[in-house]
Amino acid sequence: MSTATLSPEAAPLVTPAAVSNLKVTQGRVIRSEWIKFWSLRSTLITLATAVALLIGIGLLASSMLNSGAATGPGPEPGELGPVDASLAGITFAQLAFGTLGVLFMASEYSTGMIRSSLTAVPKRLPVLWAKIAVFAVVVFVIGLAASAVAFTGGQALIGDGAASWSDGGVVRAVIGSAVILAGSGVLGLALGALLRSTPAAISTLFGAMFLLSGVAQLLLPESWRDNVVQYLPSDAGSAFTSVSQGADALSPWVGLGVFVGYVGAVVVGGAWRLKRADA
């Protein structure tokens, strides 16, 4: 019995170009996460829900606003101005985008897909950075378009006393709404990486963004209340999207810095657990 052997000429060649095509790069991981994001059944439904809430509630609030009570984009502190009315749906859109962020990350742990992802990307962290990049860009673009529609449509409904794009703080409020929406989504994604449980991450997100401020208002002594509440995530984000600033609110850019600080801290926590803990 003879044994067949391959001549050197017949052996497959592994060229440097072929090896480079097999390397894991951040760009390829981003492309993979982009495909995963749009393959989720919840993606289109949640995005559509968030847009409907942002535009629908903004138009509803604008239609209810008495045009005689507002003479421009800067009413007295505590009053609902035309810009705030048209962007009133941002709070509900935050919850929708934040929930989608949680699902984008935590669902991989519930289905076990995270093991395949980390096997393909052994360094692990590129997976998180790719998810954040894909999610933040998509939410910012969609949030910006929806905020612009909500503002433009809302001002048309208000009529007399409506704000315009050229008024001070309006552009910041519209773009800032998209920034805060993207940040809220990334916060949900990072909570999903940190807690690895969809119910726990959504509950934590809801508590931090919507309940914490109210609880602080009820429980804290009056002498502490304003100084503490203004630094909570929801209030800090609102400071950046509001045209008129209350006496007890942070300045817009300080509010943005505080909000980004919260998001960054949770991202760091999620990255640490993804890197150190078993999937």
Side-chain angles (χ1 to χ4, degrees), residues 1 16 64 118 170 234:
M1 184 173 62
M64 297 174 63
L118 299 184
V170 169
S234 58

Side-chain angles (χ1 to χ4, degrees), residues 55 100 270 274:
I55 296 176
L100 182 59
L274 179 64

Side-chain angles (χ1 to χ4, degrees), residues 9-33:
E9 292 78 7
L13 296 177
V14 181
T15 65
V19 172
S20 66
N21 288 334
L22 301 175
K23 289 176 63 177
V24 176
T25 65
Q26 187 66 68
R28 287 170 178 166
V29 179
I30 289 175
R31 185 165 53 189
S32 171
E33 292 302 329

Side-chain angles (χ1 to χ4, degrees), residues 95 98-99 102-103 191 195 197-207:
L95 179 58
T99 300
V102 171
L103 293 173
L191 284 171
L195 302 178
S197 166
T198 299
I202 292 177
S203 300
T204 303
L205 176 71
F206 185 85

Side-chain angles (χ1 to χ4, degrees), residues 176-197:
S177 297
V179 171
I180 296 303
L181 289 172
S184 300
V186 172
L187 179 62
L189 192 156
L191 284 171
L194 180 62
L195 302 178
R196 301 185 174 186
S197 166

